[in-house]
């Protein structure tokens, strides 16, 4: 959980840079598991921007629905107070208090929408994003933190490259990358006249020569 507001007392040194907030969170988790004091760690966002995503249109029906949801919470609060005050109360009174809370929530939401609908007639969700996120650590823990981050980066597995199957012809539009340098060339499958393993391959037969003695009379 993060809290907004306040100014850090000390500034740390950058040990890692991430493009997403989730990556910075994972790095902080590794540091905390490595016994780095949590107060020495900070996530610093650069290039902050506010993004407001519109989620829907706000009308009287949507305002009433939102008010009813808030009214349920209000009714539960009133019902809890009522039940604690009178333990022997009937269930009908509990349901009645719930309905009153829902009605109050809907009424307040409708009144608020009627006042503000000319300025805002839609619902939205606002997020604060950054171009990059730095994980910083105070100088007293910087060496230990760099060791932990270095081990995490070294332990990350490299992405595996799928081998290319050259036994089947490629389809139209499919790209086949050439074999990497140093890789042995693929040998064709042996035919029926291929020599057995361990025997030398037969070379081209030399032309037959005839001597004068062997000539016919």
């Amino acid at each position: 959980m993060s809290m907004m507001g306040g100014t850090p007392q000390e500034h740390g040194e950058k040990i890692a840079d991430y493009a997403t907030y989730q990556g910075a969170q994972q790095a902080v988790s590794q540091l905390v598991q490595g016994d780095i004091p949590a107060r020495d760690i900070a996530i610093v966002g650069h290039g902050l921007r506010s993004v407001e995503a519109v989620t829907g249109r706000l009308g009287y029906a949507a305002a009433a629905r939102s008010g009813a949801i808030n009214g349920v919470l209000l009714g539960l609060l009133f019902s809890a107070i009522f039940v604690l005050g009178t333990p022997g109360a009937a269930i009908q009174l509990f349901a009645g208090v719930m309905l009153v809370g829902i009605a109050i929530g809907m009424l307040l939401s409708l009144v608020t929408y009627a006042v503000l609908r000319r300025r805002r007639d839609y619902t939205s969700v606002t997020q604060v994003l950054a171009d990059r996120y730095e994980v910083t650590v105070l100088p007293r823990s910087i060496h230990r933190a760099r060791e932990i981050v270095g081990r995490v980066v070294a332990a990350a597995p490299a992405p595996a490259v799928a081998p290319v199957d050259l036994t089947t012809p490629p389809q139209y539009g499919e790209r086949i990358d050439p074999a990497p340098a140093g890789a042995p060339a693929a040998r064709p499958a042996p035919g029926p006249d291929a020599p057995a393993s361990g025997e030398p391959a037969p070379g081209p037969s030399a032309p037959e020569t005839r001597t004068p003695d062997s000539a016919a009379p």
Side-chain angles (χ1 to χ4, degrees):
M1 186 179 71
S2 60
M3 295 185 296
M4 302 296 292
T7 303
Q9 299 295 328
E10 298 180 78
H11 297 281
E13 298 182 22
K14 182 180 74 172
I15 62 169
D17 203 339
Y18 299 90
T20 62
Y21 184 70
Q22 289 75 14
Q25 282 184 316
Q26 293 178 1
V28 171
S29 299
Q30 294 289 340
L31 293 175
V32 172
Q33 293 176 6
D35 296 332
I36 301 297
R39 293 182 176 273
D40 295 353
I41 309 170
I43 299 177
V44 182
H46 293 270
L48 298 179
R49 62 187 184 277
S50 176
V51 179
E52 183 177 2
V54 179
T55 57
R57 182 178 179 180
L58 183 60
Y60 282 104
R65 187 165 52 249
S66 176
I69 295 174
N70 295 332
V72 169
L73 300 177
L74 188 63
L76 287 175
L77 177 62
F78 288 162
S79 299
I81 296 175
F82 182 76
V83 170
L84 291 177
T86 55
I91 189 65
Q92 291 82 0
L93 294 178
F94 179 81
V97 173
M98 283 286 298
L99 292 177
V100 170
I102 294 174
I104 293 176
M106 293 178 63
L107 180 61
L108 293 177
S109 183
L110 290 173
V111 171
T112 302
Y113 172 71
V115 173
L116 301 177
R117 65 175 180 172
R118 293 183 179 180
R119 293 182 296 173
R120 182 184 178 95
D121 58 351
Y122 62 90
T123 59
S124 63
V125 177
T126 303
Q127 290 180 312
V128 178
L129 303 176
D131 295 334
R132 60 188 179 90
Y133 300 88
E134 292 182 355
V135 177
T136 63
V137 178
L138 294 183
R140 58 174 173 262
S141 304
I142 190 67
H143 298 293
R144 174 64 176 163
R146 285 175 176 168
E147 292 178 0
I148 295 174
V149 173
R151 287 200 304 266
V152 172
V153 173
V161 179
V164 179
D165 187 5
L166 299 178
T167 59
T168 57
Q171 299 180 358
Y172 179 77
E174 182 180 3
R175 177 182 176 184
I176 298 180
D177 295 332
R187 301 181 59 185
D193 298 333
S197 176
E199 297 182 2
S205 59
E208 181 181 359
T209 59
R210 302 179 65 183
T211 62
D213 298 337
S214 61

